[in-house]
Amino acid sequence: MDCLFCKIIEGSIPSQKVYEDDAVYAFRDINPMAPVHVLLVPKTHIPSMDGVTAENSAAVARIFEAIPKAAAAEGLTNGYRVISNCGDDACQTVKHLHFHLLGGRKLPDRMA
Ligand code: AMP
Ligand code: ZN
């Protein structure tokens, strides 16, 4: 499958790993929007939030377990923001479900 994040997970495209376990891979965004900008992805290919089902939602739960670990590892003691863009209106560019972890400064109070 021609998926950028699947290639990053398997290691054929390099990335800066922040956290990894059997279900989750987390790495630095190549175009950071904040001092800390990490992407967390399930190791199984799910195209977007629209692809989450009762059968695969455990992978999403594992991401939410990983988020506080990645945030702590990145020193985000004063809070952070988690975003997942789904589909064209949200400008999703990579069609493998991912969660942006943003922090390291006061973020804009308007989300969109
Ligand atoms: P989205 O727009 O929500 O689909 O987010 C995709 C994110 O992937 C963007 O923030 C990009 O900067 C990031 N990105 C694209 N290619 C790479 C890469 N090779 N390594 C790390 N991050 C990437
Ligand atoms: Zn993928």
Side-chain angles (χ1 to χ4, degrees):
M1 192 190 309
D2 193 26
C3 171
L4 174 65
F5 288 172
C6 281
K7 289 176 182 164
I8 284 178
I9 293 161
E10 74 184 22
S12 59
I13 289 179
S15 65
Q16 283 187 275
K17 181 167 77 173
V18 168
Y19 172 86
E20 182 175 17
D21 61 35
D22 59 307
V24 179
Y25 190 72
F27 55 102
R28 295 193 194 290
D29 195 293
I30 205 166
N31 183 25
M33 299 288 171
V36 174
H37 188 168
V38 170
L39 300 172
L40 296 104
V41 301
K43 287 190 170 178
T44 52
H45 181 87
I46 301 172
S48 77
M49 197 78 78
D50 265 349
V52 177
T53 65
E55 285 67 44
N56 64 22
S57 62
V60 182
R62 294 292 302 275
I63 289 181
F64 278 83
E65 291 173 39
I67 285 170
K69 297 178 189 173
E74 292 296 301
L76 299 180
T77 54
N78 204 42
Y80 51 85
R81 182 170 290 160
V82 175
I83 292 174
S84 186
N85 296 318
C86 177
D88 286 347
D89 275 3
C91 303
Q92 181 185 3
T93 58
V94 180
K95 310 303 189 205
H96 180 127
L97 178 65
H98 54 281
F99 293 82
H100 298 256
L101 169 63
L102 297 154
R105 65 165 162 80
K106 184 81 172 175
L107 298 169
D109 59 356
R110 279 183 61 86
M111 218 169 16

